[in-house]
Coordinates of all heavy atoms in Angstrom, one line a residue:
M1 N 86.8 133.9 84.9 CA 86.8 132.5 85.5 C 86.4 131.5 84.5 O 85.4 131.5 83.9 CB 85.8 132.6 86.7 CG 85.9 131.4 87.6 SD 87.5 131.4 88.5 CE 87.4 129.8 89.3
S2 N 87.3 130.5 84.4 CA 87.0 129.4 83.4 C 86.2 128.3 84.1 O 85.9 128.3 85.3 CB 88.3 128.8 82.9 OG 88.9 128.1 83.9
E3 N 85.7 127.4 83.3 CA 84.9 126.3 83.7 C 85.6 125.5 84.9 O 86.8 125.4 84.9 CB 84.8 125.5 82.5 CG 84.7 124.0 82.6 CD 84.9 123.3 81.3 OE1 85.6 123.8 80.4 OE2 84.3 122.2 81.1
T4 N 84.7 125.1 85.8 CA 85.3 124.3 86.9 C 85.4 122.8 86.4 O 84.4 122.3 85.8 CB 84.3 124.3 88.1 OG1 84.2 125.6 88.6 CG2 84.7 123.4 89.2
I5 N 86.6 122.3 86.5 CA 86.8 120.9 86.1 C 86.6 119.9 87.2 O 85.9 118.9 87.0 CB 88.3 120.8 85.6 CG1 88.5 121.6 84.4 CG2 88.6 119.3 85.3 CD1 87.7 121.3 83.1
C6 N 87.1 120.2 88.4 CA 87.0 119.4 89.6 C 86.0 120.0 90.5 O 86.3 121.0 91.2 CB 88.3 119.1 90.3 SG 88.2 118.1 91.7
H7 N 84.8 119.4 90.6 CA 83.7 120.0 91.4 C 84.0 119.6 92.9 O 83.6 120.5 93.8 CB 82.4 119.6 90.9 CG 82.1 120.1 89.5 ND1 81.5 121.4 89.4 CD2 82.3 119.6 88.3 CE1 81.4 121.6 88.1 NE2 81.9 120.5 87.4
C8 N 84.5 118.5 93.2 CA 84.8 118.2 94.6 C 85.7 119.2 95.3 O 85.5 119.6 96.4 CB 85.5 116.8 94.7 SG 84.5 115.4 94.2
M9 N 86.8 119.6 94.5 CA 87.8 120.5 95.1 C 87.7 121.9 94.6 O 88.5 122.7 95.0 CB 89.2 119.9 94.8 CG 89.4 118.5 95.3 SD 89.2 118.4 97.1 CE 89.2 116.6 97.4
G10 N 86.7 122.1 93.7 CA 86.5 123.5 93.2 C 87.8 124.0 92.4 O 88.2 125.1 92.6
V11 N 88.3 123.2 91.5 CA 89.4 123.6 90.7 C 89.1 123.9 89.3 O 88.4 123.1 88.6 CB 90.5 122.5 90.8 CG1 91.8 123.1 90.1 CG2 90.8 122.1 92.2
S12 N 89.5 125.1 88.8 CA 89.1 125.5 87.4 C 90.1 125.1 86.4 O 91.2 124.6 86.7 CB 89.0 127.0 87.4 OG 90.4 127.6 87.5
R13 N 89.6 125.1 85.1 CA 90.5 124.7 84.0 C 91.7 125.6 83.9 O 92.8 125.1 83.8 CB 89.7 124.8 82.7 CG 90.5 124.7 81.5 CD 89.7 124.8 80.2 NE 88.9 123.6 80.0 CZ 89.3 122.6 79.3 NH1 90.5 122.5 78.8 NH2 88.5 121.5 79.2
D14 N 91.5 126.9 84.2 CA 92.6 127.8 84.1 C 93.7 127.4 85.1 O 94.9 127.5 84.8 CB 92.2 129.3 84.5 CG 91.6 130.0 83.2 OD1 91.7 129.4 82.1 OD2 91.1 131.1 83.4
E15 N 93.3 127.1 86.3 CA 94.2 126.8 87.4 C 95.0 125.5 87.0 O 96.2 125.4 87.2 CB 93.5 126.6 88.7 CG 94.3 126.4 89.9 CD 93.5 126.4 91.2 OE1 92.3 126.7 91.2 OE2 94.1 125.9 92.2
I16 N 94.3 124.6 86.5 CA 94.9 123.3 86.1 C 96.0 123.5 84.9 O 97.1 123.1 85.0 CB 93.9 122.2 85.7 CG1 93.0 121.8 86.9 CG2 94.6 121.0 85.1 CD1 91.9 121.0 86.6
V17 N 95.5 124.3 83.9 CA 96.4 124.5 82.8 C 97.7 125.3 83.2 O 98.8 124.9 82.9 CB 95.7 125.3 81.7 CG1 96.6 125.9 80.6 CG2 94.6 124.5 81.0
S18 N 97.5 126.4 84.1 CA 98.7 127.2 84.4 C 99.6 126.4 85.3 O 100.8 126.5 85.2 CB 98.3 128.5 85.0 OG 97.4 128.4 86.1
T19 N 99.0 125.5 86.2 CA 99.9 124.7 87.1 C 100.7 123.7 86.2 O 101.8 123.4 86.5 CB 99.1 124.1 88.2 OG1 98.3 125.1 88.9 CG2 100.0 123.4 89.2
I20 N 100.0 123.1 85.3 CA 100.7 122.1 84.4 C 101.9 122.7 83.7 O 103.0 122.2 83.6 CB 99.7 121.5 83.3 CG1 98.7 120.6 84.0 CG2 100.5 120.7 82.3 CD1 97.6 120.1 83.1
K21 N 101.6 124.0 83.2 CA 102.7 124.7 82.5 C 103.9 125.1 83.4 O 105.0 124.9 83.1 CB 102.1 125.9 81.7 CG 101.3 125.6 80.5 CD 100.8 126.8 79.9 CE 99.9 126.5 78.7 NZ 99.1 127.6 78.2
E22 N 103.5 125.7 84.5 CA 104.5 126.2 85.5 C 105.4 125.1 86.0 O 106.6 125.3 86.1 CB 103.7 126.8 86.7 CG 103.8 128.2 86.8 CD 102.8 128.8 87.9 OE1 102.9 128.2 89.0 OE2 102.0 129.6 87.5
K23 N 104.8 123.9 86.4 CA 105.5 122.9 87.1 C 105.8 121.7 86.2 O 106.3 120.7 86.6 CB 104.7 122.5 88.3 CG 104.4 123.7 89.2 CD 104.2 123.4 90.6 CE 104.2 124.7 91.4 NZ 103.7 124.5 92.8
H24 N 105.5 121.9 84.9 CA 105.8 120.8 83.9 C 105.2 119.4 84.4 O 106.0 118.5 84.4 CB 107.3 120.7 83.7 CG 107.9 122.1 83.3 ND1 107.7 122.7 82.1 CD2 108.7 122.9 84.1 CE1 108.3 123.8 82.1 NE2 108.9 124.0 83.2
L25 N 104.0 119.4 84.7 CA 103.3 118.2 85.2 C 103.0 117.3 84.0 O 102.7 117.7 82.9 CB 102.0 118.5 85.9 CG 102.2 119.5 87.1 CD1 100.9 119.7 87.8 CD2 103.3 119.1 88.1
K26 N 103.1 116.0 84.3 CA 102.9 115.0 83.2 C 101.8 114.0 83.5 O 101.3 113.3 82.7 CB 104.2 114.1 83.0 CG 105.4 115.0 82.7 CD 105.3 115.5 81.3 CE 106.5 116.3 81.0 NZ 106.2 117.5 80.1
T27 N 101.4 113.9 84.8 CA 100.4 112.9 85.1 C 99.2 113.5 86.0 O 99.4 114.5 86.7 CB 101.0 111.8 86.0 OG1 101.4 112.3 87.3 CG2 102.2 111.1 85.3
V28 N 98.1 112.7 86.0 CA 97.0 113.1 86.8 C 97.3 113.2 88.2 O 96.9 114.0 89.0 CB 95.8 112.1 86.5 CG1 94.6 112.3 87.5 CG2 95.3 112.2 85.0
A29 N 98.2 112.2 88.7 CA 98.6 112.2 90.1 C 99.3 113.4 90.5 O 99.1 114.0 91.5 CB 99.4 111.0 90.4
Q30 N 100.2 113.9 89.6 CA 100.9 115.2 89.9 C 100.0 116.3 90.0 O 100.2 117.2 90.8 CB 102.0 115.4 88.8 CG 103.2 114.4 88.9 CD 104.1 114.5 87.7 OE1 103.7 114.9 86.6 NE2 105.4 114.3 87.9
V31 N 99.0 116.4 89.1 CA 98.1 117.5 89.1 C 97.3 117.5 90.4 O 97.1 118.5 91.1 CB 97.1 117.4 87.9 CG1 96.0 118.5 88.0 CG2 97.8 117.6 86.6
G32 N 97.0 116.3 90.9 CA 96.3 116.1 92.2 C 97.2 116.6 93.4 O 96.7 117.3 94.3
E33 N 98.5 116.3 93.3 CA 99.4 116.8 94.4 C 99.5 118.3 94.4 O 99.5 118.9 95.4 CB 100.8 116.2 94.2 CG 100.9 114.7 94.6 CD 102.2 114.1 94.1 OE1 103.2 114.8 93.8 OE2 102.2 112.8 93.9
E34 N 99.5 118.9 93.2 CA 99.7 120.4 93.1 C 98.5 121.2 93.3 O 98.6 122.3 93.8 CB 100.4 120.7 91.8 CG 101.8 120.1 91.6 CD 102.8 120.6 92.6 OE1 102.6 121.7 93.1 OE2 103.9 120.0 92.7
T35 N 97.3 120.7 92.9 CA 96.1 121.5 92.9 C 95.0 120.9 93.6 O 93.9 121.6 93.8 CB 95.6 121.8 91.4 OG1 95.1 120.4 90.9 CG2 96.7 122.2 90.5
D36 N 95.1 119.6 94.1 CA 94.0 118.8 94.7 C 92.9 118.4 93.7 O 92.1 117.6 94.1 CB 93.3 119.6 95.8 CG 94.1 119.7 97.1 OD1 95.1 118.9 97.3 OD2 93.9 120.6 98.0
A37 N 93.0 118.8 92.4 CA 92.0 118.4 91.5 C 92.1 116.9 91.3 O 93.3 116.3 91.2 CB 92.2 119.0 90.1
G38 N 91.0 116.2 91.3 CA 91.0 114.7 91.0 C 91.2 113.9 92.3 O 91.2 112.7 92.2
T39 N 91.4 114.6 93.5 CA 91.6 113.8 94.7 C 90.4 113.5 95.5 O 90.5 113.0 96.6 CB 92.7 114.5 95.5 OG1 92.1 115.8 95.9 CG2 94.0 114.7 94.8
G40 N 89.2 113.9 95.0 CA 88.0 113.6 95.7 C 87.3 112.3 95.1 O 87.9 111.2 95.3
C41 N 86.2 112.4 94.4 CA 85.6 111.3 93.9 C 86.3 110.6 92.7 O 86.1 109.5 92.3 CB 84.2 111.7 93.4 SG 84.2 112.7 91.9
G42 N 87.2 111.4 92.1 CA 88.0 110.9 90.9 C 87.3 111.0 89.6 O 87.9 110.7 88.6
G43 N 86.1 111.4 89.6 CA 85.3 111.5 88.4 C 85.8 112.4 87.3 O 85.6 112.3 86.1
C44 N 86.6 113.4 87.8 CA 87.1 114.4 86.8 C 88.5 114.0 86.2 O 89.0 114.7 85.4 CB 87.3 115.8 87.4 SG 88.4 115.7 88.8
Q45 N 89.0 112.9 86.6 CA 90.3 112.5 86.2 C 90.5 112.3 84.7 O 91.5 112.7 84.2 CB 90.8 111.2 87.0 CG 91.1 111.6 88.4 CD 91.6 110.3 89.2 OE1 91.8 109.3 88.7 NE2 91.9 110.5 90.5
P46 N 89.5 111.7 84.0 CA 89.6 111.7 82.5 C 89.7 113.1 81.9 O 90.4 113.3 80.9 CB 88.3 111.0 82.1 CG 87.9 110.1 83.2 CD 88.3 111.0 84.5
E47 N 89.0 114.1 82.5 CA 89.1 115.4 82.0 C 90.5 116.0 82.3 O 91.0 116.8 81.5 CB 88.0 116.3 82.6 CG 86.7 116.3 81.9 CD 85.7 117.2 82.5 OE1 85.7 118.4 82.1 OE2 85.0 116.8 83.5
I48 N 91.0 115.7 83.4 CA 92.4 116.2 83.8 C 93.4 115.6 82.8 O 94.3 116.3 82.3 CB 92.8 115.8 85.2 CG1 91.8 116.6 86.2 CG2 94.2 116.2 85.5 CD1 92.0 116.2 87.7
Q49 N 93.2 114.3 82.5 CA 94.1 113.7 81.5 C 94.0 114.3 80.1 O 95.0 114.5 79.4 CB 93.7 112.2 81.4 CG 94.6 111.4 80.4 CD 96.1 111.4 80.9 OE1 96.4 110.9 82.0 NE2 97.0 111.9 80.1
A50 N 92.7 114.7 79.8 CA 92.5 115.3 78.5 C 93.3 116.7 78.4 O 93.8 117.1 77.4 CB 91.0 115.5 78.2
I51 N 93.2 117.4 79.5 CA 93.9 118.7 79.7 C 95.4 118.5 79.6 O 96.1 119.2 78.9 CB 93.5 119.5 80.9 CG1 92.0 119.8 80.9 CG2 94.4 120.7 81.1 CD1 91.5 120.3 82.2
L52 N 95.9 117.5 80.2 CA 97.3 117.1 80.2 C 97.8 116.9 78.7 O 98.8 117.5 78.2 CB 97.7 115.9 81.0 CG 97.9 116.2 82.5 CD1 97.7 114.9 83.3 CD2 99.2 116.8 82.8
D53 N 97.0 116.1 78.0 CA 97.3 115.7 76.6 C 97.3 117.0 75.8 O 98.2 117.2 74.9 CB 96.2 114.8 76.1 CG 96.3 113.4 76.7 OD1 97.3 113.1 77.4 OD2 95.3 112.6 76.5
E54 N 96.3 117.9 76.0 CA 96.2 119.1 75.3 C 97.4 120.0 75.5 O 98.0 120.6 74.5 CB 95.0 119.8 75.8 CG 94.3 120.8 74.9 CD 93.0 121.3 75.6 OE1 92.0 120.5 75.8 OE2 93.0 122.5 76.0
V55 N 97.8 120.2 76.7 CA 98.9 121.1 77.1 C 100.2 120.6 76.7 O 101.1 121.3 76.1 CB 98.9 121.4 78.6 CG1 100.1 122.3 79.0 CG2 97.6 122.2 79.0
N56 N 100.4 119.3 77.0 CA 101.7 118.7 76.7 C 101.9 118.1 75.3 O 102.9 117.7 74.9 CB 102.0 117.6 77.7 CG 102.2 118.1 79.1 OD1 102.7 119.2 79.3 ND2 101.7 117.3 80.1
G57 N 100.8 118.2 74.5 CA 100.8 117.8 73.1 C 101.1 116.3 73.0 O 101.6 115.8 72.0
Ligands
LIG101 S1 85.1 116.1 90.6 FE1 87.3 116.0 90.8 S2 87.6 114.6 92.4 FE2 85.4 114.7 92.2

C-alpha cells in the first residue's frame, strides 16, 4: 500500500498513478472525476499535479 495522497477521499499514490496511466489523464480535474482524489478540501491538488507532471513527463 503506497502513501495516501488524498486524505479526504482516501486515495493512494498507486491508485492515482495507475489511473493516470490507464486513462491517459492530463489534469487534476480529470483525476478527480476518475478517482475522487482532490474533490474534498482541495488541499492535495498540488500533489496530484506533481504526480501528473511526474507520470506525463
Ligand atoms: S486531501 Fe484531497 S481533497 Fe482533501
Side-chain angles (χ1 to χ4, degrees):
M1 191 65 189
S2 73
E3 147 195 29
T4 298
I5 298 297
C6 180
H7 294 274
C8 292
M9 302 300 169
V11 188
S12 71
R13 171 179 286 272
D14 278 355
E15 188 175 344
I16 293 172
V17 168
S18 56
T19 308
I20 290 169
K21 286 181 182 166
E22 248 166 56
K23 306 208 166 168
H24 308 287
L25 306 183
K26 302 291 178 215
T27 67
V28 171
Q30 289 173 329
V31 174
E33 282 166 25
E34 297 292 341
T35 69
D36 285 342
T39 62
C41 71
C44 62
Q45 288 182 1
E47 275 185 89
I48 297 172
Q49 183 62 59
I51 296 170
L52 277 162
D53 293 346
E54 201 179 292
V55 174
N56 291 328

